[in-house]
Structures are given as C-alpha cells and as structure tokens.
Amino acid sequence: MSSFLEKDREKVEICFGSSCNFCERDCVVYKIIKKKTYTSRGKNRAVLGIINSKVKLSKELANVAFSCTLCGSCDVHCALEDTKTFIDLRGELVANGFFLEAHKILVDNINETGSAYAQEMAGKREGEVLFYIGCQYGFRENKVRKILNIFEKFGIKPKIEKEICCGYPMKSYGFFEDFRKHKEKFLKIYHRKEVVTLCPTCTTFLKDEYGYKVKHALSLILEKLSEPKIFEKLNLKKLNKKVTYHDPCHLARYFDFINQPREILKRIGVEIVEMKNHGYYTNCCGGGGGIITADAHLSNEIAKNRVLEAIDTNVDTLVTVCPTCELTLKKASQNLKKEGKKINVKSVWDLVWEAIKN
Amino acid sequence: MYIKELIKALGKEKVLTEDFERFVYGADWSPRTADEIFPPDVVICPKTTEDVQKVVEIAYKYEIPVTVGGGLTGMAGGAVPIYGGIYIDSTSMNKIIEIDVENQTIRAQAGATLQEINDSLEKFGLWLPNLPESKWSCTIGSEIACDNDSTFGMKYGKILNALLSVQIVTGKAEILELGHRKAHFTSSGYKLKDLIVGSEGTLGVITEALLKVEPIPGERSVDMIIFSSIKKSVDYLSNLLKAGISIEGAHINCKRRLKFYTHAYKEKYGKEPEIPDWAEALLAIILSGDKEVVEFQRNYAIQKALEMGGELIKEREIVESWWTSKHTLDFEPFKQKWPASQKQKKFGAADPGIPMGRLEEMYNKFIETAKKYNLEILGMNAYLEHPNSIGFSLSCALFVDYRNREEVNRFRKYFEEMSKNAVDLEGTMSTYMSDTNLKVPYFEYEHGKSAKYMKKIKEIFDPRGIMNRGKKFKYKNEG
C-alpha cells in the first residue's frame, strides 16, 4: 500500500469520474509530448492505478512524473489540487528508489552547503526590513546588488540574515525525508515569521509550507511609487517603452500577484502588450519542477514556445520577475535569435533600475 | 511477438508498453467504476498515415484488435479497448496540413483538436463551427467517427455538413481517400465518405480530414427564454424558422438540467438561479451575424416569444453562466465545473433522437425509465442539430455513482432501455455517441433488415474484424 498517495485517493477518483481533460488545455509539456500519460489526467490515472495495485512504480513512470514543471496550469483549469498529487507521486517514487541523480545532487548540495547550487548564498546585511533572497538570486551578486540598490534609493533598508535554501527543491523533487529534516533547520534560523521575498517559488513556499507572512518585494516598490510626488523627489524617469510581461507561475497562480508588477511598469511609463496566455493562464517558462536538470531539451522547447508567444506581440522586450523564468527565457531567446527571431529578455528590476538611476 | 514487430516498424518512441502507460488509455469519459479500466496490450502514438498503415498491416497479419482514440472524452465507451490489443492515440498526429482561404477549406490530421483547428483558422477570419463542449480535447477524427454534435448545429449542422473528404486506413491496411475534393457535395458514385461518419473506427482508422469552413460572424447574442412546456419551445422555434430568422444555435433545457449548466452562477452566489415554477423549458437561443442583423433578429425573437407565452430571462448572469458551461469554458480559475460537480456522482446520459412532435413523450419516458432504475435525474437537453430545421439530439442525463458497480450497471440497463424507447417513438437510439458496445443488443431493433447490409459493408472494409472489435456489432466469438 502506497504511503504518500493514499491521501490523494479521493482526488484521483474524482478525476477518473470526471475525465473531463480540461487539464490538457494549456499543458506546456503535453503540447510537445503528445502522449496522454504526460497530462494531469494521465498522471492522476497512474496514481489511481498505483493506489489500486494495478500499476507498479517504475523508471518509466518516474520519467513521466519528473517531466512536469509543476506549473499548475492544470490546477487553474480544474478544481482538484493536481500539482500536490504529483509531488506526492514523486515522494512515492523517491521513497522507493526511483529518483533522478541530477535531483539528488541538488538535494545533497542543500544538505551539505545550504544552497541548492553549492554556491554562496547572499551575504548577511544589516538593515531594517527582513528580506529572504533564496538560492536562485543568492549567487548572482550583481543582480542582488542592483535590487538592493533599488531599495536603498527608495529609502528601504533590506536586512539579510544567514540564509539556507527554503527547501522547495527537496520537497518538489520528492525527497520528503530530507525535507522534513531541512524544515526543522530552516525554522530554527527564521524564527521570525514576516519576510520580504524576491523569488516567486520561495514566496509561495514560505507562505504555504511554513505559514509565514510573506510580501513579495515588488509590493514595497509599488507602495513607494504610490507616494505623493515620489517621481519628483527621486527624479524618476518615465521609460516610454512597450513590452510584454511574462507572469511567473507561482506568483500568478498561487500568490495572486498579477496586477502589481503591471501597475509598477505602468507607473514608470512602460506599456504592456499582453500575450494571449497571461495572468492566471500564464504559460510556463520551462524552468519549474526540476525540469531543467530532468530534461534540458524539453525545458528548452517549453521556453522556446513561450518566447515565440512573446514575439507574436510585436514588442522588442519580454519582461518577467522570476530568476528561473529569466534564465530559461533568455536562453530560449538566444537560440531563437539564430533563427532570426528576436526579443530581449529583461527583469522588472532592470526597468525599475533604469527609471531610478541617475 | 507482434509488439516486437511494431517496435521495429515504428521505433520504441512511438510504442508504449509499460503498465502505467496502458492503464492511462484504458477508459474514456463514460460512467464506470475504477476496476472497469481496460488497458490495451500496447499503445501506439503515430505521427503519419504511413505509421498507421504499418500498425494495421501488423494487426491484420496477427488478427489483433485495433481501437483508435482521440481526446478520450467519449460518453459511452466507444474508444475503450474492451478486447485489448492495439490502441492508437491519434492525438500525436495533429498537424494542420493546408488552409485554403479562397476555397474556405482546411485539411488536418485526424488527431488535431477542434480548438487547434480553429486556432489555426482564426487569423484568416474563418472557423469550423462544429464545436462541442469538449472542443479543447475532441479531435476532428473523433468528431467524424462519433458523428458528434455541435453547439451551433442549428445553423451549420453536424460534421457531415462540413466534411468534404476523409482519408482512412482500412482494416486491410489500405489507404483510401473518400469524398469529393473541395466541392461541397456530389451526386456521383456512392457516398462512401458518409459511411465513415459515425463508424466509430469499425471500418478503418481516420487519418486526415478535409473540411469546409466558414467566415467568423461579427457579433453574437445569447439569450434564454422560458416556456411553460417543452412543446411550446419547439413550436416557438418552428415559428421563428418560418418567419425567416437564421438561428445559429438552439438548446432546450428541461428545468432540472439548467442547474447542471449554471455552475459558475452557483460558485458566485452560493445558490441556484431562480426560475419561476411554471417554467418547464428553458430555451437558449444563439443568433449571429452583423450587428444590425443580430439586433433585428433578436428583437423579433423576443417579441415573438412574448406573443407565444414565453418570458426572457433578464438576469444576464444566468445566461452567461450557461454560456460559460456550453461554449466559452472560461470558468473561475481553480473551480472548473466538471471535477467540482462530480465528487460523488458523474454525469451519464443516453443520446436518442426523436421526431419533433414526440419530444415531450420522450421526456416523460426518460423520467419514467430513470425512476424505474432508481437513478437520480440530472435532466434532459434537446440540441437542435439540423440546419434551419427542427431536428434534435437529446441528452437524457442522470447522476451515476462511479464508485458503485451496482449503480453503474443500473445506468447501463437504463441506457439500453432508452435505446429501445427511442426506436419505439419513431426515432433513433443514437445521435452523437454512436453505438459503442452498449447499444449492440438493440442494433437489429434499430436497423431491421438493413443491419445485414451494414455487416456486409463492415466485412468489406474490415474482413478480419479487427477494427474496434465489439462496437456496433457483437464480436463473432462472443457467446
């Protein structure tokens, strides 16, 4: 009897009962791999089979389970929390030895160094407002410096404590026992429960897994931009640009953070031309759920599709606010440039810096 | 042995043999318990017609059953491989082959979904109006194979009205093109193309389709009008047609049925929409065209409804909620209708067709039969599916507890009896699900002497009886 999946029985039975297939609608993986095993319904049915002892765990099932970005597009088009079931499926696979070596490396890195990439996390910093930088931004010194400078210019003093990974990779890759121990460690370091975050995944994970009161860093910027005469006070520029904005999955779907980045861009004179799939219905960048290490080719193809959507809006810049999205979309845009299809990829932070730097 | 040949012919990438892979393909949308999943022995994901031909050659050689599926949202088990063997997942063949704007045609591989087809046509101002609720998953191949319905059937008809030519791989692995190229119809030869519509994979595998498409209308209005009886709503529609109104879509919901279709309203307000007690029929009427034309037709239609004792539903949220369920499918994020409303029981329906004057009789028969089998009634919907004429597909729907085998069996008995009821009322037992295996007991009852001609046709196209074995006809080796 499976230990992690039994609690998903009701959900997968309802999925079987409904069999509606709405999950296929915007599944970025299914668009590329046209096999029903890769859809949410397919994975739910596999789980039903495991629970009812009709299906065995296998390396091939693990390949399918890990070829998912956990983007939640299926969740939006459903009423069952499908991505949570898929994480449980990964837990079941890993507990029975069906893990990916590439994922184990990241988990070992977290265990040994505190960082998913075995790199230095952002260094300690004195300040007033507690920020959590996370792994993805942590080792990108220049990026972090730019972001912290933005806050300093707005009169906000970020404080950074000694950080370890929030643990999302451990849990989402199915290493539940490692995560259980890591969570205890994390809670000892972050005993204060209010934090400002940068990475969308850390944002939702700290809220949902740890129960923290979390504010995404852009909220502070929006508050500042709403102050009277702030443009004159800080000599802020209006950029007069047209861009398209890619909503990071975790921010849009699980943190309801859709209007705020748009409002910020609007206030600094940036007009947004929306892609067809935006907001809750954003299409994944191909970076989530460990897919970059599980299947780099699939990750690239997903990112390429998203960049092509951006190019269809006829603007010259694609903007986002997630370090993973930025990475995959930038890489895809560089590959597409060789085919004569061009678009620049920037972060919201880049544009805010352009508006505020003197 | 034959699986090794399949792998050699197609490559391992296109041949799925793992137990979980086969399990996923072992059931469609139809009401069944979780232990009634029929995994095929192997799943094929072809990319081309030639791939399909190779599969059928091998299947023919070893007499292996071949079942083809598309979106797997079939309501009666048509694509469930009940005899095992080979399952072909047509969705891996989803290319748009050609769009001919001047002739208003599109040619696509059979696995292209109706939404994919329409997405490719949109920039040319064209569309394929054959759109059921399952448009995001339903493939053009399945639409043809089941002779499926459309939300806009009253103007554009069913798929046969749009189908110009169809390419199939027969049960002997022969590739055939059946149809009349880009001419809209023909009076030459025998209409073999028409045989494929509703054939549900029993004559061959549909691999490509050439379809006539239409200009996208500029405006659309959607309204609901309540009547004191189902008959009155039918008389009303008849009157509108006589007056020259061009109706894009018409759906007659019985009172109980509306509840199922207004999920979005319930989510928003936490209550059912309020409909007067006297209202037995709720007619949804869809008009489209240029703005002035739609306005004129809409005003005329509303005025006529008042004269005939109908009442316009003024609360737009009820209408919008119905339209969301039926067409736009823009449900509240994370609250889509199907899984939210199927927690205990699922939607299960029979699909008879009835002459226009006997609709109320059929409705009463439906209620009576549902009660006989002690099944919770969801309601009846009459879909108008013939261009500019009154012709119904019916959905006589119940709630079925899919965790309860005994209840599922009672549903199947209800389904069979409704098949007989439809024929007894001068109608037909199927209008959009096709026969599957569930209507096999009443096949001769429906078709009389012509059934033997149909069997002969089957033998010509599929002499070894490998194509979707057990559907339409009893498999010869069955007791």
Side-chain angles (χ1 to χ4, degrees):
Chain A
M1 172 70 77
S2 83
S3 49
F4 297 117
L5 294 174
E6 189 57 40
K7 69 177 180 2
D8 297 314
R9 177 182 282 279
E10 198 195 355
K11 273 198 282 179
V12 298
E13 282 180 353
I14 293 169
C15 176
F16 176 69
S18 308
S19 269
C20 64
N21 257 1
F22 273 65
C23 51
E24 283 184 10
R25 184 168 164 169
D26 290 321
C27 177
V28 291
V29 175
Y30 181 62
K31 244 186 195 71
I32 294 164
I33 305 178
K34 295 291 278 184
K35 293 174 184 171
K36 296 224 180 277
T37 39
Y38 287 83
T39 64
S40 179
R41 183 172 93 160
K43 293 197 283 281
N44 280 337
R45 277 201 183 170
V47 170
L48 182 68
I50 294 166
I51 289 171
N52 289 345
S53 306
K54 305 271 171 125
V55 161
K56 291 189 295 296
L57 299 176
S58 66
K59 184 163 159 264
E60 289 73 16
L61 177 55
N63 283 342
V64 170
F66 290 114
S67 294
C68 171
T69 65
L70 300 177
C71 74
S73 160
C74 47
D75 286 344
V76 174
H77 291 300
C78 186
L80 307 167
E81 291 174 318
D82 300 291
T83 49
K84 285 187 179 166
T85 306
F86 307 150
I87 291 175
D88 288 338
L89 174 59
R90 290 173 172 204
E92 189 70 17
L93 284 160
V94 169
N96 285 276
F98 295 102
F99 54 83
L100 295 190
E101 277 302 329
H103 286 174
K104 187 162 188 314
I105 289 171
L106 266 80
V107 170
D108 288 344
N109 285 342
I110 298 170
N111 281 331
E112 286 155 27
T113 71
S115 156
Y117 306 103
Q119 303 259 6
E120 288 287 324
M121 301 282 278
K124 274 187 81 161
R125 181 191 172 100
E126 293 301 319
E128 292 165 357
V129 181
L130 181 63
F131 273 50
Y132 177 78
I133 308 296
C135 300
Q136 276 285 8
Y137 275 124
F139 62 91
R140 294 187 169 101
E141 243 184 87
N142 291 340
K143 200 100 195 171
V144 173
R145 197 179 306 125
K146 182 189 275 186
I147 294 171
L148 296 177
N149 281 345
I150 289 171
F151 282 97
E152 292 285 351
K153 283 204 182 276
F154 274 110
I156 295 170
K157 298 188 181 314
K159 173 182 172 143
I160 304 171
E161 290 177 350
K162 182 169 160 46
E163 291 192 357
I164 59 172
C165 178
C166 67
Y168 176 82
M170 286 173 153
K171 184 161 185 191
S172 68
Y173 299 175
F175 290 81
F176 289 0
E177 185 53 23
D178 287 89
F179 176 67
R180 189 190 60 75
K181 292 178 191 154
H182 183 82
K183 188 173 175 178
E184 284 172 13
K185 233 191 270 180
F186 190 95
L187 284 166
K188 280 195 187 117
I189 294 172
Y190 280 96
H191 49 269
R192 272 192 293 162
K193 301 276 178 109
E194 280 189 38
V195 67
V196 174
T197 51
L198 290 179
C199 163
T201 305
C202 300
T203 302
T204 50
F205 200 59
L206 291 181
K207 173 173 83 73
D208 295 332
E209 182 68 37
Y210 290 89
Y212 284 20
K213 191 171 168 190
V214 176
K215 247 186 163 166
H216 187 272
L218 282 183
S219 323
L220 304 188
I221 302 296
L222 186 56
E223 281 166 22
K224 281 292 171 186
L225 287 175
S226 308
E227 282 176 8
K229 300 200 182 173
I230 189 73
F231 274 79
E232 292 90 335
K233 265 192 220 163
L234 297 181
N235 199 17
L236 292 171
K237 283 204 293 288
K238 296 255 184 178
L239 300 182
N240 295 321
K241 267 179 160 36
K242 249 191 205 179
V243 306
T244 189
Y245 176 73
H246 164 78
D247 292 275
C249 302
H250 287 150
L251 275 191
R253 296 201 241 276
Y254 301 111
F255 202 64
D256 226 339
F257 202 77
I258 296 169
N259 294 330
Q260 296 88 330
R262 288 170 167 82
E263 191 55 36
I264 289 170
L265 291 172
K266 186 175 157 192
R267 289 185 191 206
I268 59 173
V270 177
E271 185 189 331
I272 296 177
V273 179
E274 298 284 6
M275 289 182 270
K276 192 172 168 193
N277 281 57
H278 63 274
Y280 285 121
Y281 304 101
T282 186
N283 274 339
C284 184
C285 70
I291 200 158
I292 296 176
T293 42
D295 189 339
H297 174 76
L298 179 59
S299 165
N300 285 338
E301 289 296 301
I302 295 169
K304 190 170 145 188
N305 283 343
R306 187 56 169 163
V307 175
L308 285 170
E309 282 183 73
I311 289 171
D312 272 349
T313 63
N314 294 317
V315 300
D316 63 21
T317 308
L318 165 58
V319 176
T320 187
V321 74
C322 168
T324 310
C325 298
E326 216 184 319
L327 179 74
T328 59
L329 296 173
K330 230 176 210 156
K331 187 174 175 193
S333 73
Q334 281 156 3
N335 288 333
L336 282 167
K337 203 170 168 184
K338 298 173 196 165
E339 298 173 31
K341 296 173 183 152
K342 294 183 189 156
I343 195 162
N344 297 316
V345 176
K346 287 194 173 176
S347 162
V348 173
W349 300 113
D350 293 328
L351 296 184
V352 173
W353 177 247
E354 256 184 79
I356 200 168
K357 72 180 183 191
N358 290 316
Chain B
M1 172 71 167
Y2 78 88
I3 294 178
K4 282 200 176 106
E5 275 192 48
L6 286 168
I7 293 173
K8 193 169 171 206
L10 297 167
K12 183 64 182 78
E13 185 56 28
K14 294 177 186 171
V15 180
L16 311 184
T17 53
E18 295 299 316
D19 65 354
F20 80 93
E21 290 169 325
R22 297 180 294 110
F23 189 79
V24 164
Y25 284 95
D28 60 4
W29 190 98
S30 54
R32 63 185 62 237
T33 55
D35 59 359
E36 293 177 291
I37 293 176
F38 292 85
D41 299 316
V42 62
V43 175
I44 307 292
C45 301
K47 292 282 182 201
T48 63
T49 301
E50 289 68 32
D51 282 348
V52 174
Q53 186 180 39
K54 286 175 191 166
V55 174
V56 180
E57 270 167 1
I58 293 168
Y60 182 82
K61 179 176 163 188
Y62 293 96
E63 274 198 55
I64 306 296
V66 176
T67 311
V68 195
L72 277 179
T73 52
M75 298 168 73
V80 177
I82 55 175
Y83 285 94
I86 298 168
Y87 178 95
I88 296 178
D89 180 359
S90 66
T91 62
S92 51
M93 291 173 51
N94 66 333
K95 284 198 176 48
I96 305 297
I97 297 166
E98 182 203 63
I99 296 173
D100 181 345
V101 176
E102 197 180 331
N103 289 314
Q104 293 186 350
T105 65
I106 187 167
R107 187 172 184 103
Q109 286 187 312
T113 65
L114 300 170
Q115 190 63 41
E116 282 169 342
I117 285 175
N118 276 305
D119 283 345
S120 70
L121 288 167
E122 195 179 358
K123 59 180 175 280
F124 301 107
L126 297 168
W127 71 317
L128 179 69
N130 298 83
L131 293 176
E133 288 165 57
S134 53
K135 60 188 178 177
W136 282 93
S137 287
C138 181
T139 60
I140 186 61
S142 305
E143 186 82 351
I144 295 165
C146 300
D147 194 6
N148 197 11
D149 272 354
S150 166
T151 297
F152 305 102
M154 197 155 190
K155 180 163 181 176
Y156 300 102
K158 285 160 68 73
I159 197 63
L160 199 50
N161 284 75
L163 187 62
L164 305 179
S165 188
V166 65
Q167 181 194 74
I168 66 167
V169 174
T170 68
K172 295 188 291 187
E174 191 180 352
I175 299 173
L176 282 182
E177 184 79 27
L178 304 170
H180 31 81
R181 290 157 294 281
K182 293 179 183 176
H184 209 328
F185 41 79
T186 183
S187 58
S188 172
Y190 295 139
K191 291 180 174 45
L192 295 185
K193 173 199 71 173
D194 293 19
L195 283 179
I196 305 305
V197 181
S199 65
E200 57 185 330
T202 57
L203 300 180
V205 181
I206 299 169
T207 46
E208 289 181 15
L210 175 65
L211 303 135
K212 173 77 176 60
V213 296
E214 306 298 332
I216 298 173
E219 301 277 333
R220 181 176 282 134
S221 71
V222 182
D223 287 286
M224 290 188 103
I225 301 169
I226 49 180
F227 290 92
S228 58
S229 72
I230 289 171
K231 182 179 187 312
K232 283 208 164 125
S233 65
V234 177
D235 290 343
Y236 167 72
L237 282 172
S238 208
N239 260 275
L240 285 188
L241 288 176
K242 180 166 173 261
I245 299 293
S246 171
I247 306 172
E248 193 184 37
H251 304 240
I252 304 171
N253 296 270
C254 78
K255 189 190 225 153
R256 302 170 213 238
R257 182 74 174 232
L258 184 73
K259 270 196 232 177
F260 187 76
Y261 273 102
T262 46
H263 173 81
Y265 185 95
K266 264 199 298 283
E267 282 291 322
K268 188 168 179 183
Y269 294 109
K271 63 178 176 103
E272 307 283 356
E274 276 159 25
I275 305 293
D277 284 341
W278 57 262
E280 287 300 324
L282 296 98
L283 168 68
I285 179 164
I286 307 156
L287 304 168
S288 70
D290 285 353
K291 187 163 180 245
E292 303 79 2
V293 173
V294 171
E295 260 173 35
F296 170 81
Q297 295 204 120
R298 184 173 182 265
N299 289 338
Y300 185 98
I302 292 170
Q303 182 56 37
K304 184 59 90 181
L306 290 173
E307 287 167 17
M308 293 184 70
E311 196 176 293
L312 182 71
I313 289 186
K314 294 210 172 83
E315 195 179 347
R316 287 303 302 172
E317 296 246 23
I318 296 177
V319 182
E320 294 305 325
S321 179
W322 176 83
W323 191 230
T324 300
S325 267
K326 187 48 71 175
H327 182 64
T328 66
L329 310 177
D330 289 334
F331 296 102
E332 273 289 302
F334 310 100
K335 294 181 187 172
Q336 186 260 109
K337 169 183 98 180
W338 289 103
S341 63
Q342 316 278 294
K343 288 185 175 142
Q344 304 306 327
K345 296 195 176 197
K346 83 159 284 149
F347 179 113
D351 66 323
I354 296 296
M356 64 183 276
R358 304 194 78 166
L359 187 56
E360 278 199 358
E361 268 183 271
M362 184 72 214
Y363 180 65
N364 294 334
K365 220 31 179 180
F366 154 56
I367 302 293
E368 181 191 307
T369 314
K371 285 180 178 165
K372 176 179 171 182
Y373 290 103
N374 194 22
L375 292 161
E376 188 185 340
I377 293 167
L378 192 155
M380 186 183 84
N381 200 326
Y383 302 106
L384 281 293
E385 294 290 335
H386 202 292
N388 302 312
S389 179
I390 307 287
F392 311 115
S393 283
L394 301 186
S395 167
C396 298
L398 309 163
F399 287 106
V400 185
D401 183 350
Y402 51 89
R403 293 177 179 89
N404 181 337
R405 175 72 88 100
E406 194 268 328
E407 183 155 315
V408 172
N409 285 342
R410 276 188 278 118
F411 167 74
R412 290 183 183 134
K413 291 197 169 71
Y414 152 85
F415 192 91
E416 265 188 45
E417 194 161 317
M418 288 294 285
S419 301
K420 181 180 183 298
N421 291 341
V423 176
D424 290 346
L425 288 175
E426 301 179 282
T428 177
M429 62 185 183
S430 179
T431 52
Y432 56 89
M433 293 184 201
S434 204
D435 299 295
T436 76
N437 52 313
L438 296 182
K439 297 184 184 96
V440 164
Y442 282 96
F443 197 79
E444 269 85 15
Y445 195 75
E446 162 92 32
H447 296 293
K449 280 186 188 168
S450 67
K452 77 170 188 255
Y453 286 88
M454 295 185 186
K455 286 179 187 165
K456 287 202 186 304
I457 288 169
K458 164 80 169 165
E459 281 162 23
I460 294 169
F461 280 88
D462 179 27
R464 291 199 173 164
I466 58 174
M467 302 309 302
N468 210 3
R469 189 176 280 176
K471 313 289 170 51
K472 279 209 196 311
F473 312 102
K474 210 186 256 193
Y475 175 44
K476 60 184 183 200
N477 289 357
E478 245 183 84

